Amino acid sequence: MRRYGNLYEKICDLENLNLALYKVSKGRRYYGDILQYKDALEENLINLQGELINKTYTPSPYRTFTLYEPKKRIIYVSPIKDRIVHHAIMNIVEPIWNSFFIYDSYACRINKGTHAGVTRTVEFLRRSQQEWGKVYCLKCDVTKFFPSINHHIMLRIIAQKIKCKETMWLFNRIVFNNTFDRDDPESKNMPIGNLISQWGANLYLNELDQYIKHVLKVKYYIRYMDDFLIFNGDHKELHRLKREISLFLNSHLKLNLNPKSDIYPVSRGIDFLGYRIWHNNILLRKSSLIRATKRFKRFSKAYKEGLINLSDVRCSLSSWLGHCQHANVKRGANLCLKYLILSGKISQTTC
């Protein structure tokens, strides 16, 4: 496998740091921390470049908050300077890592994402049903995936692709940050919300992808972060694959399959990427509609109290309607929208 060197100078290049700042600012240019950083933009970027070149750069502690939907998760937010460094790294490293991924890995990558994953799942369902008639699905995810990622294994995987010592020094600083113990072989947890964590997690499970495709020779396999599907006409074969995958995750990556990972006929529909998917139909999850209803009720109350403006509502609504457009959910979506009441009038927006 080819390893890439001479990357650090490109990462530290002032033009690359400017591009990283642009990406960090996209959609957030009026945020307080970004405006403050731009007040002394040239000085800040030159100082950051100096820290990187002289290897005095030290990531700052994360700010954390908790999300409770769809499940409880701790989100880690880096200060703007660190976010610029993350983007500067990925501007250079992303094309390299992307070349290692299998076609059917859909997280983080350009021209992939959830909707492309849904389209591919429908294609796999149709092709597998043509091949076998009755088809079964093995649906899996990893137990507490991000908190379980081992830092030393993560860096070892990165080092298999990158031989640039300075770049590996920078990855080491970011992966361990100030929170984790470099001397602890069991040191783990990749913070959700960190760009390096998102791409690193995808690279971490690329090891599983390669094993499934090239050792287990699985034909119909698709993954989005730690959620993945395998289709086969023989449920006994899927049970065998599940055992092999569980052993590989545990022995090579120190991860565990979720005990709820299941094998079932595809006629039940595939619960994946926020949708319920059949070969001829796509619906939103019932839980998604319930969450949308609750969110619209909150919007209505916040708008009435003057806590949010119309543009805030419109932005969130447009995103949700875009999600709906990929499914057959007109009736369910319109029922949710009845709870979006602005200025005492029911919103007339429909799917």
Side-chain angles (χ1 to χ4, degrees):
M1 180 182 294
R2 180 182 175 185
R3 297 172 69 224
Y4 292 78
N6 303 316
L7 304 177
Y8 197 66
E9 184 177 340
K10 299 175 184 178
I11 292 171
C12 298
D13 183 77
L14 202 57
E15 187 175 335
N16 184 48
L17 294 176
N18 263 304
L19 175 60
L21 174 62
Y22 169 77
K23 291 183 176 181
V24 169
S25 306
K26 196 172 182 180
R28 304 179 179 88
R29 58 181 177 172
Y30 297 118
Y31 283 31
D33 58 343
I34 291 173
L35 290 173
Q36 185 178 2
Y37 196 86
K38 287 184 175 180
D39 279 343
L41 177 58
E42 186 175 357
E43 180 183 353
N44 285 331
L45 286 182
I46 289 174
N47 287 340
L48 176 56
Q49 183 188 45
E51 289 181 28
L52 292 171
I53 291 173
N54 297 321
K55 295 196 180 73
T56 58
Y57 167 73
T58 300
S60 301
Y62 295 108
R63 176 173 61 86
T64 64
F65 63 92
T66 304
L67 291 180
Y68 293 92
E69 290 185 359
K71 59 184 178 182
K72 183 178 179 180
R73 294 177 297 169
I74 299 175
I75 306 299
Y76 297 77
V77 181
S78 299
I80 181 171
K81 183 176 80 169
D82 296 334
R83 299 203 303 273
I84 291 171
V85 173
H86 298 168
H87 278 275
I89 294 170
M90 293 315 305
N91 287 343
I92 307 305
V93 172
E94 178 182 333
I96 297 171
W97 287 3
N98 198 50
S99 67
F100 294 122
F101 294 148
I102 65 169
Y103 181 87
D104 288 307
S105 169
Y106 285 84
C108 301
R109 305 168 68 192
I110 296 173
N111 297 324
K112 296 292 183 176
T114 58
H115 298 142
V118 170
T119 300
R120 186 66 161 172
T121 301
V122 171
E123 179 187 341
F124 277 178
L125 281 170
R126 291 173 178 170
R127 286 167 54 184
S128 60
Q129 287 178 317
Q130 288 174 357
E131 185 170 341
W132 291 304
K134 187 170 184 178
V135 178
Y136 297 88
C137 174
L138 167 59
K139 182 178 183 296
C140 298
D141 66 283
V142 176
T143 299
K144 297 181 178 178
F145 175 48
F146 278 87
S148 300
I149 294 175
N150 183 283
H151 295 141
H152 297 280
I153 295 175
M154 177 83 266
L155 289 168
R156 187 164 69 243
I157 292 171
I158 294 174
Q160 290 173 0
K161 329 294 182 187
I162 294 173
K163 62 182 178 181
C164 175
K165 292 182 179 179
E166 292 85 358
T167 302
M168 287 306 304
W169 169 84
L170 187 54
F171 271 120
N172 195 289
R173 298 289 274 184
I174 292 171
V175 167
F176 283 102
N177 200 300
N178 300 308
T179 313
F180 308 110
D181 184 3
R182 286 178 173 80
D183 296 325
D184 180 7
E186 300 301 320
S187 177
K188 58 187 180 181
N189 186 18
M190 294 294 282
I192 301 175
N194 176 334
L195 181 67
I196 298 295
S197 293
Q198 299 294 322
W199 273 94
N202 211 12
L203 185 70
Y204 202 82
L205 280 187
N206 179 60
E207 301 294 300
L208 174 66
D209 297 342
Q210 301 299 330
Y211 175 72
I212 289 176
K213 293 300 292 184
H214 300 301
V215 178
L216 298 181
K217 307 290 186 183
V218 172
K219 186 176 182 180
Y220 299 116
Y221 166 75
I222 183 170
R223 179 177 67 81
Y224 187 95
M225 203 49 76
D226 67 312
D227 293 307
F228 58 92
L229 307 173
I230 296 175
F231 300 114
N232 198 286
D234 185 352
H235 65 90
K236 292 182 180 178
E237 172 65 5
L238 289 179
H239 280 289
R240 184 188 74 82
L241 291 173
K242 183 181 176 182
R243 290 192 296 271
E244 296 289 346
I245 289 168
S246 181
L247 287 171
F248 178 86
L249 285 172
N250 192 260
S251 60
H252 286 74
L253 301 175
K254 296 189 177 181
L255 299 174
N256 295 297
L257 274 186
N258 190 324
K260 294 181 180 179
S261 299
D262 195 15
I263 296 169
Y264 53 87
V266 299
S267 57
R268 282 173 37 183
I270 310 300
D271 188 352
F272 190 51
L273 300 176
Y275 299 90
R276 291 185 64 207
I277 307 169
W278 290 264
H279 75 282
N280 59 356
N281 197 17
I282 302 172
L283 299 175
L284 282 186
R285 287 173 175 164
K286 186 177 179 180
S287 59
S288 297
L289 293 172
I290 292 172
R291 286 198 303 273
T293 298
K294 291 179 179 178
R295 185 162 65 251
F296 292 153
K297 287 180 178 179
R298 290 198 302 269
F299 281 166
S300 298
K301 182 179 179 182
Y303 185 82
K304 184 177 180 180
E305 295 174 355
L307 300 176
I308 59 174
N309 57 38
L310 190 59
S311 63
D312 295 326
V313 177
R314 187 182 291 118
C315 181
S316 181
L317 181 60
S318 296
S319 175
W320 187 75
L321 290 175
H323 185 62
C324 290
Q325 286 176 357
H326 295 267
N328 179 21
V329 291
K330 184 172 182 178
R331 180 175 175 273
N334 285 337
L335 287 173
C336 292
L337 288 168
K338 287 183 178 180
Y339 293 94
L340 185 59
I341 303 172
L342 306 177
S343 299
K345 296 180 179 180
I346 297 179
S347 170
Q348 297 301 309
T349 308
T350 58
C351 259

